[in-house]
Amino acid sequence: KQWYQRRVREPQFDYLKSIEIEEKINEIQWLKRQNNNLFLLSTNDKVIKLWKVSERRYKLDGFNLHDEYGVQRDAHSINTLRIPHLVPVNEILVEATTKKVYDKAHVYHINSISL
C-alpha cells in the first residue's frame, strides 16, 4: 500500500552552467525523531530540502468561501461569518510539508547527504 505521494521536485535550470537540473532525488536521509512528526532531508543535484511528515486525525471544515459540498461561493452572497472547526476523519491523513529549502549555496553537484 502506498502511504503518500507528492511531487517534490520542480524543473530547474542552472543559468551559470546553462544546464537543466533533473527532477530526481539523489538521496533521502531520515532525521532522528523528536516528537510525533517525522523529518527528512531530500536532495537533487543542487537543492537540499527539509520535509516534515505528519499524521492528522482531523481536518478543517466550515470555510466561508466554500459551501458544505466544496463548491466555491460568490463572495458577494456571504452574509455570515463561519469559523472553521476541526472534524474527525475515519482515515489518518498524512501530510508532507516543506519546512526549509537550501538552494544556491554551492556551485558543485550534491551526490549525497549525511548527518
Side-chain angles (χ1 to χ4, degrees):
K1 180 180 176 185
Q2 187 172 348
W3 193 40
Y4 190 77
Q5 180 179 351
R6 181 180 174 143
R7 184 175 182 168
V8 296
R9 297 287 171 194
E10 299 294 327
Q12 297 174 325
F13 190 79
D14 187 346
Y15 294 100
L16 294 176
K17 296 185 179 181
S18 296
I19 58 171
E20 186 175 349
I21 300 171
E22 295 181 47
E23 297 179 55
K24 67 176 183 175
I25 295 178
N26 290 347
E27 188 170 353
I28 294 176
Q29 180 75 42
W30 290 95
L31 303 178
K32 189 183 290 186
R33 181 174 257 191
Q34 300 292 327
N35 51 24
N36 291 338
N37 302 318
L38 295 171
F39 289 92
L40 64 95
L41 290 171
S42 68
T43 181
N44 67 355
D45 288 339
K46 288 287 186 181
V47 179
I48 299 172
K49 291 185 179 182
L50 174 65
W51 294 86
K52 174 184 166 186
V53 181
S54 58
E55 296 178 345
R56 293 189 300 144
R57 299 184 194 286
Y58 297 93
K59 70 174 184 175
L60 281 175
D61 193 27
F63 292 99
N64 287 311
L65 297 178
H66 301 288
D67 63 10
E68 57 272 3
Y69 304 108
V71 178
Q72 189 167 356
R73 297 179 2 184
D74 181 26
H76 300 292
S77 68
I78 299 173
N79 53 14
T80 60
L81 178 64
R82 294 190 302 177
I83 298 173
H85 56 281
L86 293 175
V87 177
V89 293
N90 295 334
E91 294 182 356
I92 296 175
L93 302 172
V94 178
E95 180 179 55
T97 54
T98 308
K99 298 309 268 181
K100 185 81 173 161
V101 177
Y102 304 96
D103 62 341
K104 300 177 184 151
H106 45 81
V107 295
Y108 302 106
H109 284 346
I110 301 170
N111 294 321
S112 66
I113 51 177
S114 65
L115 300 175

